[in-house]
Coordinates of all heavy atoms in Angstrom, one line a residue:
C17 N 0.9 -1.2 0.0 CA 0.0 0.0 0.0 C 0.9 1.3 0.0 O 2.0 1.2 0.4 CB -0.9 0.0 1.2 SG -2.1 -1.3 1.2
T18 N 0.3 2.3 -0.4 CA 1.0 3.6 -0.4 C 0.4 4.5 0.6 O -0.8 4.6 0.7 CB 0.9 4.3 -1.8 OG1 1.4 3.4 -2.8 CG2 1.7 5.6 -1.9
Y19 N 1.2 5.2 1.4 CA 0.8 6.1 2.4 C 1.5 7.5 2.2 O 2.5 7.5 1.6 CB 1.2 5.5 3.8 CG 0.5 4.2 4.1 CD1 1.1 3.0 3.7 CD2 -0.7 4.1 4.8 CE1 0.5 1.8 3.9 CE2 -1.3 2.9 5.1 CZ -0.7 1.7 4.7 OH -1.2 0.5 4.9
A20 N 0.8 8.5 2.8 CA 1.4 9.9 2.6 C 1.2 10.7 3.8 O 0.3 10.4 4.6 CB 0.7 10.6 1.4
A21 N 2.1 11.6 4.1 CA 2.1 12.5 5.2 C 2.5 13.9 4.7 O 3.4 14.0 3.8 CB 2.9 12.1 6.4
T22 N 2.0 14.9 5.2 CA 2.4 16.3 4.8 C 3.3 16.9 5.9 O 2.9 16.9 7.1 CB 1.2 17.2 4.5 OG1 0.4 16.5 3.5 CG2 1.5 18.5 4.1
V23 N 4.4 17.5 5.5 CA 5.2 18.3 6.4 C 5.3 19.7 5.9 O 5.4 19.9 4.6 CB 6.6 17.6 6.4 CG1 7.6 18.5 7.2 CG2 6.6 16.3 7.0
I24 N 5.3 20.7 6.7 CA 5.4 22.1 6.4 C 6.8 22.6 6.6 O 7.4 22.4 7.6 CB 4.4 22.9 7.2 CG1 2.9 22.5 6.8 CG2 4.6 24.4 7.0 CD1 1.8 23.1 7.7
L25 N 7.3 23.2 5.6 CA 8.6 23.8 5.6 C 8.4 25.3 5.6 O 8.0 25.9 4.6 CB 9.5 23.4 4.4 CG 10.9 23.9 4.4 CD1 11.7 23.2 5.5 CD2 11.6 23.5 3.1
K26 N 8.7 26.0 6.8 CA 8.3 27.4 7.0 C 9.6 28.2 7.0 O 10.5 27.9 7.7 CB 7.6 27.6 8.3 CG 7.1 29.0 8.4 CD 6.1 29.2 9.6 CE 5.7 30.6 9.7 NZ 4.6 30.8 10.6
N27 N 9.6 29.3 6.2 CA 10.7 30.2 6.1 C 10.6 31.2 7.3 O 9.7 32.0 7.3 CB 10.8 31.0 4.8 CG 12.0 31.9 4.7 OD1 12.7 32.1 5.6 ND2 12.1 32.5 3.5
V28 N 11.5 31.1 8.3 CA 11.4 31.9 9.5 C 12.4 33.1 9.4 O 12.6 33.8 10.4 CB 11.6 31.1 10.8 CG1 10.5 30.1 11.0 CG2 13.0 30.4 10.7
G29 N 13.0 33.2 8.3 CA 14.0 34.3 8.1 C 13.3 35.6 7.7 O 12.1 35.7 7.6
V30 N 14.2 36.6 7.4 CA 13.6 37.9 6.9 C 13.8 38.1 5.4 O 13.3 39.1 4.9 CB 14.3 39.1 7.7 CG1 14.0 39.1 9.1 CG2 15.8 39.1 7.4
N31 N 14.5 37.2 4.7 CA 14.7 37.2 3.3 C 14.0 36.0 2.7 O 13.8 35.0 3.3 CB 16.1 37.2 2.9 CG 16.9 38.4 3.5 OD1 16.3 39.5 3.5 ND2 18.1 38.2 3.9
F32 N 13.8 36.1 1.3 CA 13.4 34.9 0.6 C 14.5 33.9 0.6 O 15.7 34.3 0.6 CB 12.9 35.2 -0.8 CG 14.0 35.6 -1.7 CD1 14.7 34.7 -2.5 CD2 14.3 37.0 -1.9 CE1 15.7 35.1 -3.3 CE2 15.3 37.3 -2.7 CZ 16.0 36.4 -3.5
S33 N 14.2 32.6 0.6 CA 15.2 31.6 0.7 C 14.8 30.5 -0.3 O 13.6 30.2 -0.6 CB 15.4 31.0 2.0 OG 16.0 31.9 2.9
R34 N 15.8 29.7 -0.8 CA 15.6 28.6 -1.6 C 15.9 27.3 -0.9 O 16.8 27.3 0.0 CB 16.5 28.7 -2.9 CG 16.1 29.9 -3.8 CD 16.9 30.0 -5.0 NE 16.6 31.2 -5.8 CZ 15.6 31.2 -6.6 NH1 14.8 30.2 -6.8 NH2 15.4 32.3 -7.3
F35 N 15.4 26.2 -1.4 CA 15.7 24.9 -0.8 C 15.6 23.9 -1.9 O 15.0 24.1 -2.9 CB 14.8 24.6 0.4 CG 13.4 24.2 0.0 CD1 13.0 22.9 -0.2 CD2 12.5 25.2 -0.3 CE1 11.7 22.6 -0.6 CE2 11.2 24.9 -0.7 CZ 10.8 23.6 -0.9
R36 N 16.2 22.7 -1.7 CA 15.9 21.6 -2.5 C 16.0 20.3 -1.6 O 16.6 20.3 -0.6 CB 16.8 21.5 -3.7 CG 18.2 21.2 -3.5 CD 19.0 21.2 -4.7 NE 20.4 20.7 -4.5 CZ 20.7 19.4 -4.5 NH1 19.8 18.5 -4.7 NH2 22.0 19.0 -4.2
V37 N 15.3 19.3 -2.1 CA 15.2 18.1 -1.3 C 15.9 17.0 -2.1 O 15.8 16.8 -3.3 CB 13.7 17.6 -1.2 CG1 13.6 16.3 -0.4 CG2 12.9 18.7 -0.4
K38 N 16.9 16.3 -1.3 CA 17.6 15.2 -1.9 C 16.7 14.0 -1.7 O 16.4 13.5 -0.6 CB 18.9 15.1 -1.1 CG 19.9 14.1 -1.7 CD 21.2 14.1 -0.9 CE 22.1 13.1 -1.4 NZ 23.3 13.0 -0.7
Q39 N 16.3 13.5 -2.9 CA 15.3 12.4 -2.9 C 16.0 11.1 -2.3 O 17.1 10.8 -2.5 CB 14.9 12.0 -4.3 CG 13.9 13.1 -4.9 CD 12.6 13.2 -4.2 OE1 12.1 12.3 -3.6 NE2 12.0 14.4 -4.4
P40 N 15.2 10.4 -1.4 CA 15.7 9.1 -0.8 C 16.0 8.1 -1.9 O 15.4 8.1 -3.0 CB 14.6 8.7 0.2 CG 13.7 9.9 0.3 CD 13.9 10.7 -0.9
P41 N 16.9 7.1 -1.6 CA 17.1 6.0 -2.5 C 15.8 5.2 -2.7 O 15.0 5.1 -1.8 CB 18.2 5.2 -1.9 CG 18.3 5.7 -0.5 CD 17.7 7.0 -0.4
P42 N 15.6 4.6 -3.9 CA 14.4 3.9 -4.3 C 14.1 2.7 -3.3 O 12.9 2.4 -3.1 CB 14.6 3.4 -5.7 CG 15.7 4.2 -6.2 CD 16.5 4.7 -5.1
H43 N 15.1 2.0 -2.8 CA 14.9 0.8 -2.0 C 14.2 1.2 -0.6 O 13.6 0.3 0.0 CB 16.2 0.1 -1.7 CG 17.1 0.8 -0.8 ND1 17.0 0.8 0.6 CD2 18.2 1.6 -1.0 CE1 18.0 1.6 1.2 NE2 18.7 2.1 0.2
T44 N 14.1 2.4 -0.2 CA 13.4 2.8 1.0 C 11.9 2.9 0.7 O 11.1 2.8 1.6 CB 13.8 4.2 1.5 OG1 13.6 5.2 0.5 CG2 15.3 4.2 1.9
G45 N 11.5 3.1 -0.6 CA 10.1 3.2 -0.9 C 9.6 4.7 -0.6 O 8.4 4.9 -0.8
L46 N 10.5 5.6 -0.3 CA 10.1 7.0 0.0 C 10.2 7.8 -1.2 O 11.1 7.7 -2.0 CB 11.0 7.5 1.2 CG 10.7 6.9 2.6 CD1 11.9 7.3 3.5 CD2 9.4 7.4 3.1
R47 N 9.4 8.9 -1.2 CA 9.5 9.9 -2.3 C 8.9 11.2 -1.7 O 8.0 11.2 -0.9 CB 8.6 9.4 -3.5 CG 8.8 10.3 -4.7 CD 8.1 9.7 -5.9 NE 6.7 9.7 -5.7 CZ 5.8 9.5 -6.6 NH1 6.2 9.2 -7.9 NH2 4.5 9.6 -6.4
V48 N 9.5 12.3 -2.0 CA 9.1 13.6 -1.5 C 8.6 14.4 -2.7 O 9.3 14.6 -3.7 CB 10.3 14.3 -0.9 CG1 9.8 15.7 -0.3 CG2 10.9 13.5 0.3
M49 N 7.4 14.9 -2.6 CA 6.8 15.7 -3.7 C 6.6 17.2 -3.2 O 6.1 17.3 -2.1 CB 5.5 15.2 -4.1 CG 5.7 13.8 -4.9 SD 4.2 13.0 -5.3 CE 3.5 12.6 -3.8
Y50 N 7.1 18.1 -3.9 CA 7.0 19.5 -3.5 C 7.1 20.4 -4.7 O 7.5 20.0 -5.8 CB 8.1 19.9 -2.5 CG 9.6 19.8 -3.1 CD1 10.2 21.0 -3.5 CD2 10.2 18.6 -3.2 CE1 11.5 20.9 -4.0 CE2 11.5 18.5 -3.7 CZ 12.1 19.7 -4.1 OH 13.4 19.6 -4.6
T51 N 6.8 21.7 -4.6 CA 6.9 22.7 -5.6 C 8.2 23.4 -5.4 O 8.3 24.2 -4.4 CB 5.7 23.6 -5.6 OG1 4.5 22.9 -5.6 CG2 5.7 24.6 -6.7
P52 N 9.1 23.3 -6.4 CA 10.4 24.0 -6.2 C 10.3 25.6 -6.4 O 9.3 26.0 -7.0 CB 11.3 23.5 -7.2 CG 10.4 22.9 -8.3 CD 9.1 22.5 -7.6
G53 N 11.2 26.3 -5.9 CA 11.2 27.8 -6.1 C 11.5 28.5 -4.8 O 11.6 27.9 -3.7
P54 N 11.7 29.8 -4.8 CA 12.0 30.6 -3.6 C 10.8 30.6 -2.7 O 9.6 30.6 -3.2 CB 12.4 31.9 -4.1 CG 11.7 32.0 -5.5 CD 11.6 30.7 -6.0
V55 N 11.0 30.7 -1.4 CA 10.0 30.9 -0.4 C 10.2 32.2 0.3 O 11.3 32.5 0.8 CB 10.1 29.8 0.7 CG1 9.0 29.9 1.7 CG2 10.0 28.4 0.0
A56 N 9.2 33.0 0.2 CA 9.3 34.4 0.8 C 9.3 34.3 2.3 O 8.9 33.3 2.9 CB 8.1 35.2 0.4
A57 N 9.8 35.3 3.0 CA 9.9 35.4 4.4 C 8.5 35.2 5.1 O 7.6 35.9 4.6 CB 10.5 36.7 4.8
G58 N 8.4 34.3 6.0 CA 7.2 34.1 6.7 C 6.2 33.1 6.0 O 5.2 32.7 6.6
L59 N 6.5 32.8 4.8 CA 5.6 31.8 4.1 C 6.1 30.4 4.3 O 7.2 30.1 4.8 CB 5.5 32.2 2.6 CG 4.8 33.5 2.3 CD1 4.6 33.8 0.9 CD2 3.5 33.6 3.0
Q60 N 5.3 29.5 3.8 CA 5.6 28.1 3.9 C 5.3 27.3 2.7 O 4.6 27.7 1.8 CB 4.9 27.5 5.1 CG 3.4 27.6 5.0 CD 2.7 27.4 6.3 OE1 3.2 27.6 7.4 NE2 1.4 26.9 6.2
V61 N 5.9 26.1 2.6 CA 5.7 25.2 1.5 C 5.4 23.8 2.1 O 5.9 23.4 3.1 CB 7.0 25.1 0.7 CG1 6.9 24.0 -0.4 CG2 7.4 26.4 0.0
E62 N 4.5 23.1 1.4 CA 4.1 21.8 1.9 C 5.0 20.7 1.1 O 5.1 20.8 -0.1 CB 2.6 21.5 1.6 CG 1.7 22.2 2.5 CD 0.3 21.8 2.4 OE1 0.0 21.0 1.5 OE2 -0.6 22.3 3.1
L63 N 5.6 19.8 1.9 CA 6.3 18.7 1.4 C 5.4 17.5 1.7 O 5.0 17.2 2.8 CB 7.6 18.5 2.1 CG 8.6 19.7 2.1 CD1 9.8 19.3 2.9 CD2 9.0 20.1 0.8

């Protein structure tokens, strides 16, 4: 079966910041889906 959970990545700085996720190896069965791009100060992105 496939299961999912949502994690919030919140920018707590005063500037916009960028991030990227290093995808886990396939044998773990894990995958991270997110929208790439800069995150403005105080805003958040769902992973």
Side-chain angles (χ1 to χ4, degrees):
C17 296
T18 302
Y19 299 86
T22 303
V23 175
I24 294 173
L25 185 66
K26 184 171 185 170
N27 183 355
V28 294
V30 295
N31 296 323
F32 69 89
S33 292
R34 296 181 183 276
F35 73 97
R36 70 181 187 86
V37 177
K38 189 175 177 184
Q39 291 291 337
H43 69 83
T44 60
L46 289 167
R47 190 170 68 165
V48 183
M49 292 177 293
Y50 65 100
T51 305
V55 182
L59 294 186
Q60 60 195 27
V61 173
E62 287 187 356
L63 306 176

